């Protein structure tokens, strides 16, 4: 078939545009539907009180707090380890067999299905280390899940710092660590923070890793120690959508709205931080 | 092999003896022997890949960061061996500062750029002493009048020539006394180049300067001694005037008359 190149070009553009527009549709629909159906449920009471009447009424406060605990725990564990290994990989590691295996492991870690993390957490933290089904076990499992996100984002941020900065710092007699501490880290902090926040968002939203390691079906009170179970938003949403009959649609969508709101807020924070740092950066 | 028992000749700053250097299996420097005179400008010229930048980076051990390099022979600065594992690289690099091809100030203020080295070396100075050091350093690179009211401005907003001056000022602040310059004017326009050259001539009153340059006019304009390198060898080393007017080696003559390079 012989078509005019200009026609084929127009056709191609049209297809590409269509494909791109198709991406917006589900995102838009999710947000619109959840807001429409969930917004009426949102009230001060919904956010700050415990579930009542077999979770068919009341609020979701314990689940919000539980999610905040889990996310904080995950970050407390994953940020230092992720950042330190990113520094090692980008600044110190030589290109040898061992380090290639490490890099490959990180890529693969990112590809592991989240339910497998859940099982792994159950086997390692809950059973082997005897942490029990607890905040500690759940946080560590989530932490391992977001490690690749933090490592990859931090490595990219570190490697984006021009090597001339490092060279000049070393040539002034700074040690390698001083160079990292005073030159490389300050200039890559925005990327590291962005990666961390994206990791937080991911940790807040996942259900499978916390399923066997921490999440409680129903505890209408707050935890006292890191060895307690907690409710968590994604698992709570799963429970009231599938396990408990006759929960009003409003409560279910209200819960989803709070969850998606938290994740979007975190992503927004990441974007703002990145923007602020980018404004300052001029190389 | 000459054994130098304490260098009595005060005017020799750097003494290079039978220096060999390898990147992996590639020998980049071959049996280099030379003496670099104190408070003079020494130019290293030669075609790309001849080893002149490698030689320059031997003097502050910057090649150490490349994997698989090997150095043999001896290089003494002020009579002290700088090769070998026991050398204190921090004080060596404080002493032997480097100016790079592309002006590369840190993305910090003018002020912070100059005091960076001092802070790194934990010279605990008072605010006033830092201020004095900034003023002194900027004055010696003739930037003080231009920048004294803009010390808090980001260094990256300066012109290329100002940036390069700032990079030199940064070395003066840590009290380097050897300045290695790796094609310091190659990104500058002719006017800025002339100004940096003037500065170099001014600086040689106090500093020993070694400059790698592709620009032979530059070498002949500013340097006292010149070394011509080719394929890792120091073919000829001597007074700039004699190298450029009466080279003793045919290869030097071919290069400076533009027959290759």
């Amino acid at each position: 078939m012989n078509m005019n190149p200009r026609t084929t070009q127009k056709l191609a553009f049209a297809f590409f545009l269509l494909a791109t527009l198709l991406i917006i549709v589900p995102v838009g629909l999710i947000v619109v539907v959840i807001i429409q159906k969930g917004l009426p449920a949102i009230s001060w009471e919904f956010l700050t009180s415990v579930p009542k009447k077999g979770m068919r009424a009341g609020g979701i406060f314990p689940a919000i707090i539980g999610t905040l605990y889990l996310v904080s725990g995950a970050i407390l564990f994953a940020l230092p380890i992720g950042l330190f290994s990113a520094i090692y990989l980008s600044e110190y590691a030589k290109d040898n067999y061992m380090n290639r295996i490490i890099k490959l492991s990180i890529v693969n870690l990112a590809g592991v299905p989240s339910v497998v993390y859940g099982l792994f957490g159950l086997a390692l933290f809950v059973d082997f280390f005897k942490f029990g089904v607890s905040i500690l076990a759940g946080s560590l499992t989530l932490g391992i899940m977001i490690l690749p996100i933090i490592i990859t984002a931090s490595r990219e941020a570190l490697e984006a710092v021009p090597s001339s900065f490092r060279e000049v710092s070393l040539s002034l007699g700074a040690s390698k660590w001083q160079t990292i501490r005073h030159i490389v880290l300050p200039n890559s902090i925005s990327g590291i923070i962005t990666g961390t926040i994206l990791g937080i968002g991911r940790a807040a939203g996942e259900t499978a890793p916390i399923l066997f390691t921490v999440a409680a079906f129903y505890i209408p009170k707050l935890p006292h120690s890191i060895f307690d179970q907690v409710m968590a938003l994604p698992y709570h949403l799963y429970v009231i959508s599938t396990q408990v009959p006759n929960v009003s649609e409003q409560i279910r969508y209200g819960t989803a709205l709070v969850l998606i709101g938290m994740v979007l807020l975190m992503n927004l924070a990441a974007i703002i931080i990145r923007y602020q740092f980018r404004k300052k950066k001029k190389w | 092999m000459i054994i130098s028992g304490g260098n009595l000749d005060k005017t020799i700053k750097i003494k290079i003896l039978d220096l060999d250097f390898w990147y992996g299996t590639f020998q980049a420097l071959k049996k280099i022997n030379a003496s670099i005179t104190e408070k003079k400008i020494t130019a290293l010229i030669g075609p790309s890949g001849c080893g002149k930048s490698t030689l320059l980076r031997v003097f502050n051990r910057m090649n150490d960061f490349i994997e698989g390099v090997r150095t043999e022979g001896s290089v003494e600065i002020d009579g002290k061996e700088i090769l070998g594992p026991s050398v204190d690289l921090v004080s060596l690099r404080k002493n032997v500062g480097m100016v790079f091809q592309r002006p590369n100030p840190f993305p910090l203020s003018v002020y912070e750029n100059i005091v960076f080295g001092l802070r790194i070396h934990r010279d605990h100075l008072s605010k006033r002493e830092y201020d004095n050091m900034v003023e002194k350093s900027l004055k010696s690179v003739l930037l003080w009048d231009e920048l004294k009211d803009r010390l808090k401005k980001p260094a990256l907003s300066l012109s290329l020539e100002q940036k390069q001056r700032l990079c030199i000022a940064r070395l003066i602040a840590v009290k380097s006394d050897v300045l290695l310059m790796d094609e310091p004017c190659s990104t500058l326009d002719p006017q800025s180049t002339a100004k940096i050259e003037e500065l170099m001539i001014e600086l040689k009153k106090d500093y020993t300067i070694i400059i790698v340059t592709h620009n032979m006019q530059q070498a002949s304009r500013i340097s006292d001694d010149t070394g011509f390198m080719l394929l890792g060898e120091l073919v000829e080393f001597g007074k700039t005037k004699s190298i450029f007017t009466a080279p003793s080696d045919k290869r030097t003559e071919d290069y400076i008359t533009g027959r290759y390079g």
Side-chain angles (χ1 to χ4, degrees):
Chain A
M1 189 168 74
N2 255 332
M3 268 204 325
N4 181 343
R6 278 194 21 218
T7 322
T8 32
Q9 155 140 318
K10 273 184 188 160
L11 218 63
F13 274 145
F15 274 117
F16 296 149
L17 183 64
L18 196 70
T20 314
L21 288 176
L22 273 176
I23 302 168
I24 305 173
V25 175
V27 176
L29 275 180
I30 290 171
V31 172
V32 167
V33 169
I34 288 179
I35 289 179
Q36 202 178 30
K37 295 193 176 177
L39 202 57
I42 306 292
S43 66
W44 184 244
E45 213 215 313
F46 185 68
L47 295 176
T48 58
S49 66
V50 299
K52 285 165 201 150
K53 294 182 186 158
M55 295 188 264
R56 291 181 190 88
I60 54 169
F61 186 59
I64 295 177
I65 293 299
T67 289
L68 289 178
Y69 279 152
L70 289 176
V71 163
S72 316
I75 280 305
L76 231 49
F77 165 73
L79 181 58
I81 294 186
L83 181 56
F84 295 160
S85 50
I87 291 174
Y88 172 77
L89 287 172
S90 85
E91 306 294 320
Y92 290 99
K94 300 192 163 96
D95 186 27
N96 59 26
Y97 192 66
M98 174 72 187
N99 288 314
R100 280 202 290 272
I101 287 184
I102 294 177
K103 286 176 189 173
L104 192 68
S105 313
I106 293 164
V107 174
N108 280 310
L109 213 52
V112 172
S114 54
V115 68
V116 176
Y117 280 111
L119 272 177
F120 169 77
L122 174 68
L124 187 70
F125 301 124
V126 177
D127 293 338
F128 184 76
F129 285 127
K130 302 206 182 342
F131 295 154
V133 176
S134 62
I135 296 178
L136 183 60
S139 294
L140 291 174
T141 310
L142 285 174
I144 291 179
M145 185 189 73
I146 61 171
L147 263 181
I149 300 175
I150 292 179
I151 295 176
T152 309
S154 304
R155 252 184 71 199
E156 275 168 16
L158 293 167
E159 279 163 12
V161 177
S163 60
S164 65
F165 289 178
R166 293 182 181 81
E167 208 176 23
V168 99
S169 169
L170 295 167
S171 81
L172 283 164
S175 70
K176 195 149 187 171
W177 169 241
Q178 283 175 319
T179 300
I180 294 170
R181 166 74 190 72
H182 296 287
I183 296 298
V184 181
L185 280 179
N187 285 301
S188 54
I189 195 77
S190 66
I192 293 166
I193 293 175
T194 310
T196 306
I197 295 176
L198 292 177
I200 293 177
R202 173 90 196 277
E206 279 289 344
T207 318
I210 57 174
L211 198 57
F212 319 120
T213 53
V214 52
F217 189 79
Y218 177 57
I219 305 181
K221 60 179 174 82
L222 300 181
H224 295 293
S225 84
I226 53 169
F227 294 104
D228 285 349
Q229 275 185 273
V230 279
M231 297 177 74
L233 279 173
Y235 183 61
H236 182 62
L237 181 58
Y238 163 75
V239 166
I240 58 176
S241 306
T242 62
Q243 308 297 302
V244 182
N246 305 324
V247 178
S248 76
E249 197 180 69
Q250 228 185 54
I251 289 188
R252 285 188 271 140
Y253 277 94
T255 307
L257 181 59
V258 172
L259 178 58
I260 209 173
M262 275 171 77
V263 173
L264 285 181
L265 222 62
M266 286 173 201
N267 288 350
L268 189 69
I271 291 167
I272 290 170
I273 290 169
R274 195 164 42 189
Y275 176 75
Q276 286 299 333
F277 275 100
R278 252 192 212 150
K279 265 202 314 199
K280 281 200 266 173
K281 180 159 106 177
K282 281 205 198 82
W283 69 75
Chain B
M1 168 100 188
I2 308 156
I3 294 158
S4 81
N7 203 340
L8 292 175
D9 191 350
K10 280 273 186 277
T11 62
I12 291 179
K13 186 75 182 172
I14 305 178
K15 200 170 180 73
I16 310 156
L17 276 175
D18 292 334
L19 178 71
D20 288 315
F21 184 91
W22 289 267
Y23 292 108
T25 54
F26 173 74
Q27 186 167 6
L29 297 176
K30 295 169 189 164
K31 286 272 171 287
I32 308 276
N33 283 286
S35 292
I36 288 167
T37 315
E38 189 172 36
K39 294 182 185 173
K40 297 272 184 225
I41 299 177
T42 302
L44 295 173
I45 59 169
S48 297
C50 67
K52 52 195 191 306
S53 287
T54 304
L55 178 58
L56 198 69
R57 280 158 184 261
V58 167
F59 302 137
N60 62 350
R61 296 275 299 268
M62 282 300 278
N63 293 319
D64 285 25
F65 297 106
I66 306 164
E67 271 178 61
V69 298
R70 194 159 57 88
T71 319
E72 272 174 25
S74 151
V75 176
E76 289 176 356
I77 297 183
D78 295 325
K80 268 171 50 188
E81 180 63 49
I82 62 153
L83 302 180
S86 59
V87 174
D88 174 10
L89 292 182
V90 169
S91 58
L92 171 68
R93 293 192 182 127
K94 249 176 93 166
N95 213 21
V96 184
M98 185 161 221
V99 179
F100 295 79
Q101 197 167 350
R102 282 194 65 80
N104 51 6
F106 295 121
L108 302 168
S109 68
V110 170
Y111 186 96
E112 284 300 321
N113 259 284
I114 293 174
V115 300
F116 176 83
L118 300 172
R119 291 202 206 278
I120 285 290
H121 297 304
R122 304 226 164 77
D123 300 346
H124 287 295
L125 300 179
S126 64
K127 168 92 175 64
R128 192 188 181 79
E129 285 168 306
Y130 275 128
D131 290 349
N132 288 340
M133 190 49 97
V134 170
E135 179 172 346
K136 181 184 159 243
S137 309
L138 284 177
K139 274 184 175 157
S140 46
V141 296
L142 316 173
L143 264 185
W144 177 249
D145 291 329
E146 284 167 63
L147 293 185
K148 63 183 171 201
D149 305 317
R150 296 192 284 162
L151 296 177
K152 298 288 167 212
K153 271 195 65 167
L156 296 183
S157 66
L158 303 179
S159 75
L160 271 179
E161 182 208 329
Q162 287 174 324
K163 282 182 192 166
Q164 199 60 302
R165 282 173 191 267
L166 180 65
C167 291
I168 299 170
R170 198 161 53 179
L171 301 177
I172 289 167
V174 295
K175 305 194 178 73
S176 299
D177 64 359
V178 178
L179 302 181
L180 308 175
M181 302 196 171
D182 194 351
E183 300 182 45
C185 301
S186 64
T187 58
L188 304 180
D189 60 49
Q191 208 178 357
S192 309
T193 300
K195 285 187 181 164
I196 295 285
E197 287 178 3
E198 270 169 43
L199 173 63
M200 289 171 67
I201 290 167
E202 184 67 29
L203 286 172
K204 80 170 180 182
K205 286 179 198 150
D206 300 303
Y207 299 90
T208 306
I209 298 175
I210 306 170
I211 175 174
V212 160
T213 179
H214 266 123
N215 181 335
M216 273 178 294
Q217 284 78 28
Q218 182 170 58
S220 68
R221 272 195 305 264
I222 60 169
S223 70
D224 303 285
D225 295 325
T226 295
F228 168 64
M229 294 184 69
L230 187 66
L231 301 170
E233 278 178 69
L234 185 60
V235 172
E236 193 165 347
F237 186 79
K239 294 266 159 265
T240 298
K241 207 174 265 173
S242 58
I243 294 249
F244 278 92
T245 53
S248 58
D249 194 291
K250 177 82 171 64
R251 293 169 292 176
T252 315
E253 191 186 334
D254 285 349
Y255 182 70
I256 58 176
T257 52
R259 240 159 267 166
Y260 65 86

